[in-house]
Amino acid sequence: MKKYRKKPVVIEAKKLLFSTERQIEIIEWSENKIKKGSKGCLIIPTLEGDMIANVGDFIIKGINGEFYPCKPDIFVKTYEEV
């Protein structure tokens, strides 16, 4: 069976903090694609439907300009700062 490795890709990401300023920063960064939810969460529209980003999650901007949330433990296992 063949095996495959993910190509190295540089992405942009921001960590969602429990602050209104950070939420506004992320919403503006997404060009208003991401919307404010309740209790500090953000609602991110994706091809799979709306996803929720909670405080502590990372918001990733993909290579095609798409946005999606990523839990912190997965983020640190998958990405390193460049």
Side-chain angles (χ1 to χ4, degrees):
M1 176 183 293
K2 291 184 178 182
K3 295 187 178 188
Y4 295 87
R5 175 177 50 214
K6 188 185 261 187
K7 294 179 181 178
V9 175
V10 177
I11 52 98
E12 292 180 34
K14 294 182 182 283
K15 188 170 187 175
L16 178 56
L17 306 174
F18 193 75
S19 76
T20 303
E21 294 82 14
R22 184 58 160 199
Q23 290 176 340
I24 292 169
E25 177 186 336
I26 291 172
I27 291 168
E28 289 174 352
W29 173 59
S30 77
E31 298 175 349
N32 296 311
K33 293 175 186 165
I34 296 174
K35 304 294 180 198
K36 198 170 192 177
S38 61
K39 299 182 182 177
C41 73
L42 294 176
I43 301 168
I44 304 171
T46 71
L47 293 174
E48 293 82 26
D50 289 350
M51 298 184 82
I52 303 295
N54 295 300
V55 173
D57 290 349
F58 284 85
I59 313 301
I60 295 173
K61 182 177 183 180
I63 60 173
N64 292 319
E66 75 281 11
F67 292 90
Y68 52 94
C70 184
K71 293 294 180 194
D73 58 331
I74 302 299
F75 187 86
V76 298
K77 289 177 184 175
T78 308
Y79 299 99
E80 61 185 18
E81 191 171 345
V82 294

